[in-house]
Amino acid sequence: MKTRQCVGSPGKTRPRGPRGFKGEKGDASDTSVLMNQLDILKNKVERMEKIPEVALQYCLMGMKSGAIPSSSISASTNHNAKHEAKHGRLDRNSGVGAWCPLSTTVGQWMQVDLGSPQLINATVTQGRVQHGSAAYWVETYKVACGITDVHLSTITEGGKDKIFQGNTDTTTKVIGWFPEPMTCRYVRLYPQTWQNFMCLRMDILKANCPRKSTERT
């Protein structure tokens, strides 16, 4: 004999009760925390490297870009045709990749004619492009500027000729800030000390270039 089951009609649906409190979020794994920290650090480094470089390009007067013609770049002497002053442009690799004088003696100089008096803020230097083990750069230098190349005044600080800190390798761009902006048409660099041989590449910064935007190069 089959047993019959009594099935009543469905009951009425009642209103939904209030939602319970949300549980606490579990701890992230050590790996995910580390990856997040690395991503944050990477983004910070990229911003530090890219933003100042863009600002620096905006501030340069024209040695790197070529806006300053080779006829406006001169020197006391040149080691040879491949080391003429026209090869001393920032980031350039023409000739042998820098200006180098005939002899490494204090008093040699490299000069840029801006074409007209300009308000400028700093110089930027690099060493010579490295070829094999030969590494040359200027460690310290003085700067003279003026409206004519006959009457140049050496930049001073505290009543003495300012010694600008130059390079410590062949590639890094180092900014030599003036104590205050100067109005110059001619800008002349006098190397004072150097690594192996007196060689450099350079450019000049406009006076409206803020220091904070170019602290890292």
Side-chain angles (χ1 to χ4, degrees):
M1 178 183 293
K2 294 184 179 180
T3 303
R4 294 183 178 182
Q5 294 182 352
C6 294
V7 179
S9 60
K12 295 183 178 180
T13 303
R14 307 301 298 173
R16 181 176 295 179
R19 178 175 293 182
F21 293 108
K22 186 177 181 180
E24 295 184 1
K25 186 177 181 180
D27 295 333
S29 67
D30 293 340
T31 300
S32 63
V33 171
L34 178 59
M35 292 302 294
N36 186 51
Q37 290 175 343
L38 288 175
D39 286 340
I40 294 173
L41 179 60
K42 180 181 178 182
N43 291 334
K44 287 183 178 180
V45 170
E46 287 178 349
R47 288 198 299 271
M48 291 170 68
E49 290 178 347
K50 292 179 180 179
I51 294 175
E53 184 67 21
V54 171
L56 181 63
Q57 301 311 314
Y58 170 78
C59 295
L60 296 175
M61 294 291 290
M63 286 289 283
K64 176 175 178 174
S65 68
I68 295 174
S70 294
S71 58
S72 296
I73 309 169
S74 58
S76 52
T77 63
N78 302 303
H79 190 70
N80 54 36
K82 292 184 177 181
H83 291 90
E84 290 180 352
K86 65 181 181 181
H87 300 305
R89 297 176 181 272
L90 198 73
D91 279 337
R92 289 294 186 89
N93 191 17
S94 58
V96 188
W99 163 72
C100 304
L102 185 61
S103 62
T104 52
T105 55
V106 173
Q108 302 281 355
W109 50 264
M110 178 178 169
Q111 177 177 283
V112 178
D113 176 2
L114 297 174
S116 62
Q118 304 284 337
L119 194 61
I120 61 176
N121 211 13
T123 50
V124 189
T125 61
Q126 267 180 315
R128 195 190 81 159
V129 173
Q130 188 162 341
H131 301 277
S133 61
Y136 309 127
W137 59 80
V138 170
E139 296 175 331
T140 61
Y141 60 95
K142 295 182 181 180
V143 177
C145 75
I147 304 302
T148 71
D149 60 353
V150 176
H151 298 96
L152 298 176
S153 299
T154 304
I155 293 177
T156 61
E157 188 172 47
K160 299 180 180 180
D161 290 353
K162 180 174 175 60
I163 303 297
F164 291 84
Q165 296 302 310
N167 301 94
T168 57
D169 59 32
T170 60
T171 58
T172 304
K173 293 183 282 290
V174 177
I175 300 175
W177 293 104
F178 297 173
E180 60 184 7
M182 304 284 291
T183 299
C184 312
R185 172 176 173 175
Y186 296 90
V187 181
R188 184 179 292 184
L189 270 64
Y190 289 92
Q192 301 297 297
T193 59
W194 50 89
Q195 172 72 21
N196 295 322
F197 206 90
M198 185 190 293
C199 298
L200 65 83
R201 292 174 287 170
M202 65 165 290
D203 211 321
I204 301 164
L205 293 187
K206 302 174 184 178
N208 61 354
C209 181
R211 296 197 178 202
K212 287 185 179 181
S213 69
T214 53
E215 286 177 351
R216 290 174 59 90
T217 59

